[in-house]
């Protein structure tokens, strides 16, 4: 494969141009054809990329997302763009407004959630606003004051509705809630999901856009995804009912680590910008609870973290990005942390000798479930490289953060801004012009 090798300036211009092109007005589509709506964690990453271009536009992105927040505090995983077709399951399949008492009055949304990375975006927005004059600073500050209660409500919902036993881990009722839809992490749990004969028929839209089936989940996987949506519909998306009726329930250690980190970030913001003490205290409390909850799953020697299958009552051990959760949230002993960093950088992950770039594949190339082209079963996802580099920088590991950034930019120099990349060849896969890929590059170059 030949690299056209865009220079950093060209790359930044192209990334900015891409976000402009995916801008629907008050929301940025996650990707032009495959994902023509707003996705929750995509929107946060997009805001990170928009912040250096325009603080004002980044604020609009988060405002749009938060305007779709549910009455119980949940931020839904999709906010549907008005009048845009071509995605399945769309609003007619979810039917949240008809079925869910907590659905917002305004926009159509899905009925599940996604990883809580939003505090990171808020922090990036505030950071960038400080480089500007008074009016931009005022926009960011006004946004924070207005949305602070919503952000805390979001975190409170996660801490209460999704960790009712207070063990410091977030429970998910659909693999899509993890953001890593078909990761091998969920294979066993999904094997337990048996679609009923009364699963209403449907037609996939994703395979029309990506015609190579080796890059997308299988039809069988899709039946299960849709069956879970059906179970939620029948429970009217009620938080309490979901705990017992869903045939899929897992404690996601990676989402839990993100939550611990996000609580810390939000608490820092709250302190700096003089938000209510009681909120800040609560956020610190959740951060500590989830940091501990994540660390408690880790192997004492290797530091590797695990998910937990609530239905089967067993731990889920996989060699995927999830095992590195404690690198994001902290809380390991020094030796365990060192061991886990060695795994991250060693031949099972970033240091695998055949990798095109030293970036973490979604699943280890030496794992038996590894598929180099298939979505979350192997490819490198640039936005995950970004998340690790950001989290490492925050933890004070400047050199490691720098290395991920440098390799991430080398990978991005092809200018495709792909959703994910084949780890050995570096071939761009999935959707092209993916918004969060462009956003990651913009932040790295900022
Ligand atoms: C896929 C990814 C998910 C992402 C969405 C939009 O479903 O698995 O993490 O949010 O696409 O980009």
């Amino acid at each position: 494969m030949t690299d056209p090798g865009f220079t950093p300036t060209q790359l930044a211009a192209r990334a900015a141009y891409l976000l402009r092109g995916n801008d629907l007005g008050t929301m940025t589509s996650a990707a032009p054809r495959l994902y023509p709506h707003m996705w929750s964690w995509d929107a946060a990453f997009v805001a990170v990329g928009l912040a250096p271009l325009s603080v004002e536009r980044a604020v609009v992105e988060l405002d749009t997302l938060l305007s779709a927040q549910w009455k119980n505090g949940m931020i839904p995983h999709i906010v549907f763009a008005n009048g845009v077709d071509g995605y399945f399951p769309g609003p007619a399949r979810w039917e949240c407004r008809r079925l869910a008492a907590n659905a917002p009055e305004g926009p159509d949304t899905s009925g599940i959630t996604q990883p809580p990375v939003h505090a990171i975006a808020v922090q990036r927005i505030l950071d960038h606003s400080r480089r500007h004059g008074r009016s931009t600073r005022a926009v960011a500050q006004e946004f924070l004051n207005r949305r602070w209660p919503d952000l805390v409500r979001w975190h409170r919902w996660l801490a209460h509705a999704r960790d009712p036993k207070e063990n410091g881990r977030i429970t998910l009722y659909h693999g899509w809630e993890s953001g890593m839809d078909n990761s091998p992490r969920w294979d066993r749990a999904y094997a337990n999901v048996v679609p009923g004969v009364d699963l209403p028929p449907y037609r996939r839209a994703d395979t029309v856009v990506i015609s190579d089936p080796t890059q997308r989940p299988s039809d069988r996987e899709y039946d299960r995804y849709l069956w879970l949506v059906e179970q939620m519909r029948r429970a009217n998306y009620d938080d309490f009912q979901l705990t017992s009726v869903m045939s899929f329930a897992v404690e996601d250690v990676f989402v839990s680590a993100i939550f611990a980190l996000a609580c810390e970030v939000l608490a820092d913001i709250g302190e700096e910008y003089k938000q209510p003490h009681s909120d800040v205290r609560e956020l610190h409390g959740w951060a500590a609870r989830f940091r501990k909850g994540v660390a408690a799953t880790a192997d004492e020697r290797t530091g590797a973290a695990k998910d937990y299958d609530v239905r089967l009552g067993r731990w889920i051990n996989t060699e995927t990005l999830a095992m590195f959760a404690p690198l994001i949230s902290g809380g390991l002993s020094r030796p365990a942390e060192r061991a886990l960093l060695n795994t991250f950088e060693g031949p099972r992950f970033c240091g695998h000798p055949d990798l095109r770039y030293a970036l973490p594949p979604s699943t280890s190339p030496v794992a038996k479930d590894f598929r180099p082209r298939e979505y979350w079963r192997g490819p490198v996802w640039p936005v995950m490289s970004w998340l690790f580099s950001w989290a490492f920088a925050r933890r004070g590991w400047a050199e490691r953060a720098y290395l991920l950034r440098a390799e991430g930019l080398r990978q991005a120099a092809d200018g495709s801004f792909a959703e994910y990349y084949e780890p050995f060849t570096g071939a761009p896969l999935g959707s092209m012009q993916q918004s969060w890929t462009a956003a990651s590059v913009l932040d790295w170059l900022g």
Side-chain angles (χ1 to χ4, degrees), residues 30 35 39 41-42 114 179-181 375-376 381 419 434 436:
Y35 310 112
W39 264 256
W41 73 330
D42 296 59
Q114 257 192 337
M180 301 189 188
D181 309 7
Y375 216 39
W376 290 97
W381 287 67
E419 189 180 9
Q434 182 86 9
W436 67 10

Side-chain angles (χ1 to χ4, degrees), residues 30-31 34-35 37-42 77 87 114-115 176 178-182 216 222 375-376 381 383-384 419 434-436:
L34 190 58
Y35 310 112
H37 304 282
M38 170 181 261
W39 264 256
S40 167
W41 73 330
D42 296 59
H77 107 294
Y87 176 81
Q114 257 192 337
W176 286 344
S178 72
M180 301 189 188
D181 309 7
N182 74 333
R216 297 284 311 173
Y222 248 76
Y375 216 39
W376 290 97
W381 287 67
V383 75
M384 289 298 103
E419 189 180 9
Q434 182 86 9
S435 293
W436 67 10

